[in-house]
Every structure is written in structure tokens, then in C-alpha cells.
Amino acid sequence: MFTEYNPINKLMFQVMDNHGKIINDKLMPEVSDQRVVKAYKDMLFARTADLQIVNYQRQGRIFTYPPNYGQEAISGATASIIEEKDWLVPAFREMGAMLSKGVTLKELFLLFMGYEEGNAYKNAKKVLPISVPIASQLLHAAGIGYEIKYNKKKELVYAFVGDGGTSEGDFHEAINFAGVWKVPVIFIIQNNQYGISTPVSMQTASESLAIKALAYGVKGIQVDGNDYFAMLKVLQESKKACENGEGPILIEAVTYRKGAHTTSDDPTKYRTKEEEESWHKKDPLDRLNKYLQDKGLWSDKEEEKIIEQFKKEVDRQFIEAENFPEYKPEEIFKYMYSETPQELKDQEHKLMEFYRWKSEKIAQTSKK
Amino acid sequence: MFTEYNPINKLMFQVMDNHGKIINDKLMPEVSDQRVVKAYKDMLFARTADLQIVNYQRQGRIFTYPPNYGQEAISGATASIIEEKDWLVPAFREMGAMLSKGVTLKELFLLFMGYEEGNAYKNAKKVLPISVPIASQLLHAAGIGYEIKYNKKKELVYAFVGDGGTSEGDFHEAINFAGVWKVPVIFIIQNNQYGISTPVSMQTASESLAIKALAYGVKGIQVDGNDYFAMLKVLQESKKACENGEGPILIEAVTYRKGAHTTSDDPTKYRTKEEEESWHKKDPLDRLNKYLQDKGLWSDKEEEKIIEQFKKEVDRQFIEAENFPEYKPEEIFKYMYSETPQELKDQEHKLMEFYRWKSEKIAQTSKK
Amino acid sequence: MKIMNMVGAINDALDIKLNEDKNVVVFGEDVGVEGGVFRVTEGLQKKYGVDRVFDSPLAESGIVGTAIGMAIAGLRPVVEMQFCGFIYPAMNQIISHATRMRNRTRGQLETPMVIRLPYGGGINALEHHSESMEAMFGHIPGLKVVSPSTPHDAKGMLIAAIESNDTILYMEPKRIYRAIKQEVKTGKFTIELGKANVVTPGNDITVVTFGAMVREVQKAMVMAKEMGISVELIDLRSIYPIDRETIRNSIKKTGRILTVTEGPMSFGLGAEISQIAIEEAFLYLEAPPARVSGYDVIVPLPKGEHHYMQDAYKILYEIERNVKY
Amino acid sequence: MKIMNMVGAINDALDIKLNEDKNVVVFGEDVGVEGGVFRVTEGLQKKYGVDRVFDSPLAESGIVGTAIGMAIAGLRPVVEMQFCGFIYPAMNQIISHATRMRNRTRGQLETPMVIRLPYGGGINALEHHSESMEAMFGHIPGLKVVSPSTPHDAKGMLIAAIESNDTILYMEPKRIYRAIKQEVKTGKFTIELGKANVVTPGNDITVVTFGAMVREVQKAMVMAKEMGISVELIDLRSIYPIDRETIRNSIKKTGRILTVTEGPMSFGLGAEISQIAIEEAFLYLEAPPARVSGYDVIVPLPKGEHHYMQDAYKILYEIERNVKY
Ligand SMILES: Cc1ncc(C[n+]2csc(CCOP(=O)(O)OP(=O)(O)O)c2C)c(N)n1
Ligand SMILES: Cc1ncc(C[n+]2csc(CCOP(=O)(O)OP(=O)(O)O)c2C)c(N)n1
Ligand SMILES: [Mg+2]
Ligand SMILES: [Mg+2]
């Protein structure tokens, strides 16, 4: 696969067409119908959550949020292959993959409501928090890869970045280090065509993003990221390659951000209606839905019903997050060091004294 | 040329063999015999200076110095093509190219003796100073390229970096920006096989350094950097391409640092005798010398004579540098801002007061 | 005169300089088509074309590094770092080149350029979007660091910054981007960089601050006044170099000084101002020069940010302590 | 006991930890085969193999960034930045991740790692090889910044740093790498990070410093003694956090304080120590807390460096001024 689809051949790996028809049976990944249905449901859950969060945001119940809308197949396929032993190093549009590792929607809500606890995944191991400084997390993935190889473990790292992120120096250094060290890391570029308002054509003049693999002597491939099966197949092959010591791998998953960059962004400023519509036809959920319906594995009725359930579940977790306990002053000091130094204890003490003074002051003022 | 020698074809461009024989006449660059002789002399001058500086350093008359020894053809070819209107953005092993732009040996000596005046090229325009933070200068080259294009000028930028430098994030960002902007910059990697003690195989797993061009959608080529004609030919073609708006270009010039990394380095710690010897056979001066002697354009006698002249000239400029006026305290403040702010004036004033106090103090003490 | 907020004033300054000087170019992430994530550069690309106002690849070292090259070659780039927390990839280019090229070459090369940096908290943002690291930048030799507190200052200072032959870090208090509206002179004017502004004269204590904190101090001053405390408010405007003279004169009058900043406490602006106070007017001091600042912690996410921030009460608390000392 | 210089002591500390803890790995530019440009890691690759002591590609962000990943996964990386001036490409990884991961995840993830940073001037080096930017690092929340001044301290502090679960910037005064020889305990011992060391008790003035400047202060003290001035010398050892208690106790005794550092003056360590002095012991102060430091300029190239540096005379000058105040 990596020979045929070497990025210099300018081929995009695809398994399913826009109507959910399998183009070439031989390219299908090994996956049970049941697993595909589960994947579809998970993608649907992510989308339901996404759309609902945008509403919460409009109601002022959550701060800035970056939706995954349109890119669900990439996380969906990752969720289908990632194991408990493996590491997930997300950028910030990998909700499905994160949930599959045991992160809860409530935790993600907490983060976007403004609590650090939203990064303290209680039931998820080996997931790094969402990374805000673009592309910087890829180096962590390379370092984790080193530890895996060093300790001869059978683990893998799935690391994500956007098309915009490929311009950062850290992207270069991460894949280069991983290449020299030959570590089992699968780097996945979610090429959703834009970095905020900047189109990929203004990020780089390279023929594709996948071809950047050649700069590091690593395997690279471009895949239709809105095609669940193609994505899964590429991940399966990448996993095998890593297990054979042929990692790292660089995957360019071609997709489209159907929503806004974040809830404070207005994409009509930089995208045309036509462009948006042309991508609607390639929607990853629609395609998988058609495939499943054709095979009799799914129905509109089921979909309606499950969306209702999902909405309730999203709401439940959202309200749980809304009821999260008040943010206490001591929490801003507590996690800075393994043991809080005297300097910080003094600062905390001063803050507490101030609060005492303030409540007295306010009490006095209101007495007058 | 750039099609045939596309780095994916894994060919190194060569014109002259190790014995100074032209492999293929059709590949020869356009260049007069006279110009070649001049280039040879310039390369010889650089080498003479280099070897002499290493001696000065041993005598404690100059601080750390990074010799060019073995890499002279790259600068030699650049010197043969660069024009007054063009910019030179050096790393720190491009003595020949710098001299050709009007930088003096004396200035280079001043720098390595510890005077900033060594970077204040009095008779050279459009040369950036030697860049110490590896690869950072490449971004300046891209920016200068932008200015050239912006003002529709007919200038070019020749920018240098080492093999080690290709690992830095700034390398990536520079070529990527230049690629997106399509600016007339010729990036030249001097692949001398090592970054201090680190071999290029530990810098990157890529097949070559030239192939990194593909990551930026720019033309790339690998060339025998110890072959003056090959180097010149590649630069001529690169120049043409830039003039046609097809820049930037990434050139990997394969060479070898015959000397130490700097005068404080000991290469026997990390290189074998065999390796060093195998490269001696490819020495850029020897090859060009043989070519010229075969053509009757040069003789050992001439060489002997001119080396003596060169030595004297090097010594003359060295002694001039040694007689450079004393470093005055005000000079450390003077160039920090376009107008020195009060804060710095105060600090300078304080330093002067201290000096007055100190000489009194010493006078007192010696009286006792 | 025209009523403007700070976003409008900055946009106006850019517009004036783009119009007047063909060497001025404006670039950065999303500053072109989108007009910047805060809409500060809105409309400028349409007006001046994609060669002069444009989107760069997503790479901060690249933005600053190429700006250095442009500046050396004769342009006057004004670049934007999208948020305060994203300037760090560019630190090497700032510390190693932008602030050194003139000194390194004994004046042969210069890098006249402006780095615009929206900074500071109070906007309910994600991590890395709320920092105020002026002290870190003030410690970099060769850099000038300035920050306006009003639309008027924003305009005059940015024009002065673009016209300066130095590298200027122009820190924009994004929290008050749209919070203050003010009459601003139309057309070109400049405000000298390096001079502080005595916003309100007073007698009992000097409060030194800049940017978004000016407004918070003003709120505290209302309460202080009720308590009979007269505050002299100094807006530094320039974080490096600091205007010692204005500070000295003020302390000689009030005998007390308090610095209010958003950044972490240790090695912050407060310590520097206090040091200046003791160097310039030790014998006039009636109380220890004090600082209100952030703590030595990461700026908390929105739900905890109020614990970190310096609101009117926290400032009043320190004013009161200092005056009672 | 064994006679060692600082290079030997650091090497010994690394050796002990590599031997004791399989999670310790050492990497950076040229630290493997070559043993580092200062020979600090000499022999370690031979002894522990290329998996544990190795050369990295030439990329500082890469070095620190991958170390963060390793640390999260359970290793204890000790990385080298080849010179102080080359740490800036890694600033983003340090500020945005290494110092934040624990706080960001409420303690779920940690990044125990040591960044070794040879720093400081006085070695006749090229530009970027002589800097002392401790104040910049001290201002980064979540970082611990330490620096030894003797071989003994170097060993004990490095072992403590490697055993700490925090990210530690370990600044090595390269100027005295081989200048001081001393008996150092063999085998393992640690020195608590965060505590200052009263090197010499005294009565008339407290001088606070660290690293290579300790020796310069000691030279000044010899001259001061002849003048009848008794100096209490405090070696901070830890630049963040600063040991307030030791400083407070000392000022209460001497009434005077001077900080000696190599870095640029403004926003430097001197201001922070002075601020601590006035916060902790204002009423004990008999003279304004003072600072001797570099100037707000680029460290000059070797021929001009003596104008910038803080030698015994410059220190004595300030001691005398302060005592006469
Ligand atoms: C270092 C850094 N610079 C700038 C930003 C601001 N920013 C947030 S998202 C974004 C665009 C990212 O584009 P891309 O990598 O394509 O990811 P996408 O948002 O499309 O998923 C930018 C510029 C940042 N978060 N980090
Ligand atoms: C950013 C940075 N990191 C580290 C160094 C220290 N250093 C100086 S030269 C060098 C090796 C450079 O190797 P290469 O790019 O191959 O150039 P060469 O010396 O072989 O010409 C290193 C690591 C530096 N100057 N700058
Ligand atoms: Mg994108
Ligand atoms: Mg090299």
C-alpha cells in the first residue's frame, strides 16, 4: 500500500464513493459489520454533541468551542483501531477518538466551560490533553514513541495535527526526530482545508501534505478522510508497519471543516457557498449511513431514535458539568509543583487574606 | 536539469571526476578559462587563510574559529556567480563567498578576535553577518526575497545552511514561506557530513537533504559540492529559474569538512582515518588544480609563488586587525537603539563613574 | 476628531501608515481576508492589496524571522502574533536577531519593525490566551516594549512605533479592545515612546500601571477617594525603557508607590518599578514600594481567573495597606 | 571524598543516576560520542549505551519537546542545551508545556526532567555564548531554576534535580567548569533545591549572588575586608523559588543588601531580590537595596566583555557606596 500510494504518485486512497458504494472490495479493511455500526453511532454521537454544543455556546453556557463537524470519520476510524495500551495525542478536533479512550463528554464540557478539570481525564489513561499551541504536541508524541521503543513495549502513538499545523517548526522537528529514532508513531494530519481563514494553498506550496513524509524518510500516504473505510484501512496498515519497526508514518487525511473554526468564527468571510456545498456531498456520516442502509444495517428510524437518546445524554453530561463545584482559590496554586514551595504558599496566604478583607469591606459598605 | 535531477531520482549532479576530468562536456557551465583560474586562486586564498588562522589560533592570537577547509568549491562557485545587486546570507563557513562580496579578511579576523566591527562590512553591501544561531538566518533570506519580489527588483538571495541546520524548525519555516511566496532565494545546504560530531545520518532519516525540497513544492537538487563546475552549473540554472519566477531553489551541496568543527574541536573523536582519507581524494582544490594543469592554465610553480603572496597578504590583514583600536566602554551602549534612551545613558554614566573610581582606587592601593 | 474604540484606533493607525509609506507591509496569521481574529486589520487588504496586507503560514518564528529580512531590505513590516501565548516560537528570532542586528553590525543593518501582541486576561479564553509577559520582554536588551491604555494612545503610539527604526513590541490590551470609546484625532499624530503619562495627579500614593489595568486602577481610585486617599495614577505606556523621571517626581510628592500588573509576580514589572523607586527616591519613601500582580501560577481557565486577576478591590487592598503602613 | 572540578562533579551525578535508575536518559546535541562540547557527558555513552546517552538532531525545540513526551511516559530525561544562547528555540516547549502539564491536567500528568544549560560570560566566546538570562526563566511559572557555584553543590543539586518530579532548569556556570577543584563526597547525596547557602557570615552588608559570580564576590570580599567591611555572602543556589527566609534573616542582621548578577539589569534578579528585601525587612534597611549587574545591552564580544562584566572592583564599588550611604 505504501509503495503504491507513495505520495509522489499523487494518489488519494479511497475505498467508498460519495454514495456509500465500495469502489474496490479488495481495499476494504478487516472490520465486522457490528464494529462499523458502532463506529457510525459514535460518529453520530460526536456530531450530535457538536451541534448541541454550538447551541449551548449561543446560549452563553459555554465559552469558545472548536467543532469537529464534518471530520468525524477520522476520529471514528481511530476509535475503531486504538487500544487501551496505545497513546492518543490530540490536537483539538478529535472528540470521537478521545471519547473512545475513555474521556467523557462532561470532561470536554468542563474544559470549554473554563475548568482545568476538563483535562484531568479520570477514566482515561494515555491520553494527552487537547493541545492549544499548534503542532507543539507532535514532539510529545515522538518522545512517547521513544519511551515505547526504549522499553520494548508493544504500544503505539496516534498523534494529530491540522493542515495549518504543518507550517510550524515543531511539525518538522517532530517527524524528523521520530524518523531518526524509528519510533511507532502514526502522525495524522487532518487536512480540513483551512487554518482558521487561511487556505492550505497559503500554508504550503507542496503538492500535498502527505509528500512531506519524504523530507523525513518516513512512509506517507494521502487518504480520503471522509471515507471511514479508507481511513481505517490506512490506519490498519500503518499499525502493521509500526509493529514491524517501520514507523513512524505520516497520514494526510483529506477532509473539510463543515462548521466554523470556533464558535467565534464566521466562515462566510473566507469560504464560498459553492465550496461548502461541494463538500457536503462528501459528508462522512452521509456516506457511511448510505453504506449501512444499503446493507440493511441501519435505518432512518433507528437514526431518529438514537439521535434523541444522544441528545438527552449530551444534555445530561452538560448539566452535570454545569453543576461542577465552584473553583476554589487554592486550586490555582496546588498543581504548579510536585510540592508547593513556600513562595507559592505565601502568595496563596496573601490571596486568602485579601478575600477576608474584601468580604469585610463589602459588609461595611453595605451597612452604610 | 531540475527534472532529470529531481531528488526522487537519487542522482547527484557531477561534471568533473576526482582527477579533474570532465565527465560530460555538455554539462559544463558557461565560464571563461580566466574566470576559472580566478576562482581557483580565490579558493586557494581561502584555504591559505584558513590554515594560517588555525595557526594564529594555536598561538593564542585569535579565539574560536570555524574553518572552511575542504568546502571551498561551494563558496568559490557562489563567488563566480553572485553579483553586486544580489544578497548573501551566510551561515559561518562561506569565507570565499563573503570575500567576493567585498567583506575583507581583516573584518573576519576582527570578528574572531572579538570585535563587533568584524560584522560591520565597510565595503560590502547586501551581506548579512555570519549567523551563529543555526538555521535562523534562512528566514531572513526568505524575507529579503519578499522585498525583492514586492519591489519588482532583479535581485537574488544566496542563503547558506549546514546539514545539521536542516533539523531546525526555522529551516522548515524558511523554505516553506519562500515556497508559498515564490521568492528568488537560492538555499544552499553545505552538507559536510557532520554537525560538530553528529553525522548526517543522525540528523535525518531522509534519503538525501535535497529531497526535502518536495516538502515545500520547490525545485531541489543534489550536487557534488567539491566539484566547482557542477556547483557553478547548478547555480547558473538556479539563477535562471529564479529569474523566471520559478524560485526558490534548494541545493544540497555534498562536501566534507576536512578540518575540525572549530579550533576547539577534535574530529578524531568521531571520525575514522579511512573516512577522512576517502574524502581527501575528492578535495575540491586538488580536482580543480588537476583540471587547470591538464589544460595548461596552471602550474605548481605558480601555485607556490601565489601561496607565498597569499600568506603575506593574510598576515598583513591579520596584523592590521591586531592593531585595531581598543574597545571603548561607550561602544557597548551605542548601537542598541536608533537613539540611545535615557536608561542606557544612565547606565553608561554609571560605568564611567566606576572606571574613575577604580583608577583612583588602584592608584591609592599602589601608593600604599 | 472621531469616536473610536481601540480596535478602530489601531486600524486607523495602520491605515494611515499603509497609505503614507509604501514600505509598510502588514502580515500574520489571518490578518488578510479575515481581518484578524479581533478584526483589527479589517478592510486593509481590500484597500491595499494582497502584497501589502496578507496572511502568512501558521508559524510565528517564520513571521518574525521573515519580517527581520524584510526590514533589513528596507520594508517596515508590522506583524501580528495572534495571541500573547503564541509568541514563544518566535522568541529566538526576537532575542537573537531582531534586537541585535544593529548592535551586531555596529549600525550597518537595522530592523525597523513592529510586533503587535494582543495580551492579557479577562476575556474568558482558553489556555495560552490570557498571558501578560511584559517583564519577560522588558528584560530583552534591544527591544522596546510599549502598551497603550486608550484608543488615543493606541493610535499615536502605533504610528510612532511604525516610524521608529527600532524593533518594537506593541502590546495590545485585548480586554479593552472595544470597552473604551473616545474621541480620537483624525489624521496623523504620534506619541513619543518611552514617556509615561500622569493620568491623574494625586498626593498620597503613586500607582504605576499600563494597558488594561489602568481602568481597574481607576475603579479602585473611586473607592480610595471615598476613603480620603488621593492616588497619583501613572500609565507607563512604555515598559522598556521605563520613564524614571516621571516615577521619581511622583514619589517625591507622594512618598509611596504601588505597581499593578497582570503578569506573574516574581521577576515582574513590580519589582523593577520598586527597584527604580529605591534607586531614585529612597529617602522619600514612607512605606515599602509594593506590587499587586498575578501570582506565580498559570493564568487559570475562565472559571478560576477571577482568583488570579487584579480587580479594583485587590488594588484598593494594597493601596490601603500601603497608606496605613 | 574525591577531588573534582565542576565538569567532573556533574558527570559523576549523571553517572550515579544513570546507574541507579533505568528511567534516566541523557540526550542533546553532541552529548553522546563526543561527550558534549564541554566534555560534561564524557564516557557516559560508552558506559550506558546509545539508547540511554545519545546525540539528538540539531533542534532545541525538538530536544525539549521530545523530553516532555518521554517524561510523561515515565522516563526521566536530562537534556543539554549546548549554550545559553541556544535555548530560545525551545522556549515554547518550556513555557507552554514543560511547566504546565501538571497544572493543566490537575496533577494527572507530570514532566520530571532536567534541562542543563551552560550559561554566562567570561570565556572569550562568540556572540550568543555568554548570556545569563536567569531572570527570564525565573519569571516562568512552573519552572524551577537552580545554579550551583561549586563542584560539591553541582553534584548534590543535579542529583536532587533528576529526582525531582518537576521540570528543572539547571544552569551551569561554564566559566568555572574547571576553575574550582574541591573535595566532593563520593556516592550519592542531594542538596535540597530552593534553599540558599550562607557561604560566609558577615555583619555590614548582605551580598546575594549565585553561580560564577560567587567567586567574583569572594574576591571583592578580600578587598572589602581590608577596608574593614564585613560582608555576608549568600549563594542563592535556587533562582526560583527564592529562599526569602535566608534573605530576611540576613538583612535583619546587616541592614544592607546588594545583588550581583551577570544578566541585563532591567527586570533582572537584582530587582526581585530588592523587592523581597523591602517586603520582608523594610524597617531594617539602612540603605537602598542595590544591584550590580550587566547593562541592558548585548553581551559584548570578547574584546569588550570586560566593560560589561562584574569583576571584583565593580562589586567592591557598590559595596562601598552602599555601606557609605
Ligand atoms: C502556536 C499557535 N499559533 C496560533 C494559534 C491560534 N490558532 C488556533 S487554531 C489555528 C488554526 C489551526 O489550523 P489547523 O492546524 O489547520 O487546524 P484546524 O483548526 O483546521 O483543525 C490558529 C492559528 C495557536 N493556537 N497556536
Ligand atoms: C540554535 C543553535 N544550536 C546550537 C548551536 C551550536 N552549534 C554551533 S555549530 C553546530 C553544528 C552545525 O552543524 P551544520 O549545520 O552541519 O554546520 P557545519 O558546522 O557542519 O558547517 C552547533 C550545534 C548553534 N550555534 N545554534
Ligand atoms: Mg485546518
Ligand atoms: Mg555540517
Side-chain angles (χ1 to χ4, degrees), chain A residues 162-164 190-196 257:
Chain A
D163 46 302
Q190 294 214 46
N191 178 0
N192 65 3
Q193 312 305 323
Y194 289 88
I196 308 188
R257 159 165 64 69

Side-chain angles (χ1 to χ4, degrees), chain A residues 63-64 111-116 119 132-134 164-165 167-169 195-198 202-203 264-266 269-270 327-329 332-333 336-337 343-344 347 350-351 353-355 357-358 361-362 365, chain C residues 29-30 33-35 37 39 42 55-60 82 86 89 124 126-129 227 265-266 291 294-304 306-308 311 313-314 316-318 320-321:
Chain A
F63 300 121
T64 322
L111 178 67
F112 293 107
M113 282 176 181
Y115 295 100
E116 283 83 0
N119 286 325
V132 175
I134 300 292
S167 298
E168 287 280 3
I196 308 188
S197 69
T198 308
M202 297 187 70
Q203 291 294 346
S264 36
D265 175 52
D266 171 14
K269 289 199 87 170
Y270 52 84
Y327 198 123
K328 298 217 192 68
I332 74 173
F333 300 99
M336 289 303 298
Y337 295 93
E343 181 65 47
L344 279 189
Q347 294 184 21
K350 223 184 146 183
L351 174 59
E353 269 194 350
F354 159 68
Y355 276 137
W357 172 88
K358 185 178 173 180
K361 195 92 194 164
I362 289 174
T365 322
Chain C
E29 292 156 15
D30 309 294
V33 176
E34 166 123 323
V37 291
R39 307 287 179 263
E42 189 137 55
D55 295 322
S56 71
L58 203 178
E60 291 76 13
Q82 205 161 68
F86 306 137
N124 286 327
L126 292 172
E127 197 189 340
H128 308 281
H129 289 71
M227 295 164 63
M265 188 187 84
S266 294
R291 52 184 171 185
Y295 306 101
D296 294 346
V297 304
I298 308 304
V299 183
L301 291 186
K303 286 289 197 303
H306 61 289
H307 295 307
Y308 179 90
D311 64 357
Y313 276 102
K314 224 179 248 181
L316 183 68
Y317 172 64
E318 289 294 339
E320 197 186 298
R321 269 166 55 109

Side-chain angles (χ1 to χ4, degrees), chain A residues 39-53 65 67-73 75-76 93-99 105 108-109 285 310 314:
Chain A
Y40 180 73
K41 285 188 195 164
D42 289 347
M43 286 160 61
L44 199 59
F45 182 71
R47 179 164 294 187
T48 310
D50 242 8
L51 297 176
Q52 208 141 324
I53 297 167
Y65 171 77
N68 296 248
Y69 186 32
Q71 306 180 206
E72 293 91 346
S75 268
R93 255 185 250 283
E94 290 79 23
M95 186 204 277
M98 294 181 81
L99 297 182
L105 203 51
L108 294 177
F109 288 151
L285 268 89
F310 284 169
V314 171

Side-chain angles (χ1 to χ4, degrees), chain D residues 6-177:
Chain D
M6 196 178 278
V7 165
I10 296 171
N11 185 284
D12 191 27
L14 292 170
D15 194 353
I16 288 170
K17 287 307 299 176
L18 278 161
N19 186 51
E20 179 182 285
D21 182 355
K22 223 214 121 188
N23 287 322
V24 175
V25 293
V26 170
F27 70 105
E29 293 156 15
D30 308 294
V31 302
V33 177
E34 165 123 325
V37 292
F38 293 106
R39 307 286 179 265
V40 170
T41 52
E42 188 137 54
L44 297 175
Q45 184 176 72
K46 268 219 179 98
K47 200 158 167 188
Y48 297 101
V50 292
D51 287 353
R52 300 197 58 202
V53 180
F54 53 100
D55 296 322
S56 71
L58 205 178
E60 292 74 14
S61 186
I63 293 168
V64 174
T66 55
I68 291 168
M70 292 178 195
I72 288 172
L75 298 181
R76 291 192 170 263
V78 182
V79 300
E80 177 179 301
M81 302 278 99
Q82 205 161 68
F83 279 90
C84 36
F86 306 136
I87 194 174
Y88 306 120
M91 284 302 260
N92 190 38
Q93 287 293 339
I94 295 172
I95 300 181
S96 301
H97 292 300
T99 55
R100 286 170 175 256
M101 211 44 101
R102 181 188 296 103
N103 181 70
R104 176 182 295 152
T105 63
R106 304 281 99 164
Q108 298 283 314
L109 301 180
E110 283 191 326
T111 53
M113 55 189 271
V114 179
I115 303 171
R116 294 182 37 241
L117 184 71
Y119 84 93
I123 61 159
N124 286 326
L126 293 171
E127 198 188 341
H128 307 282
H129 290 71
S130 306
E131 300 175 37
S132 184
M133 293 295 268
E134 64 284 347
M136 173 169 279
F137 301 114
H139 191 56
I140 301 172
L143 194 62
K144 282 194 174 173
V145 185
V146 302
S147 183
S149 68
T150 65
H152 168 267
D153 284 10
K155 180 173 170 181
M157 286 166 65
L158 182 53
I159 295 178
I162 299 173
E163 295 187 346
S164 162
N165 285 332
D166 298 317
T167 294
I168 315 269
L169 185 70
Y170 180 88
M171 296 179 66
E172 302 177 0
K174 58 181 179 293
R175 179 184 184 174
I176 53 168
Y177 259 157

Side-chain angles (χ1 to χ4, degrees), chain A residues 180-193:
Chain A
V180 173
W181 292 344
K182 306 220 179 314
V183 291
V185 183
I186 302 174
F187 293 101
I188 301 158
I189 304 169
Q190 294 214 46
N191 178 0
N192 65 3
Q193 312 305 323

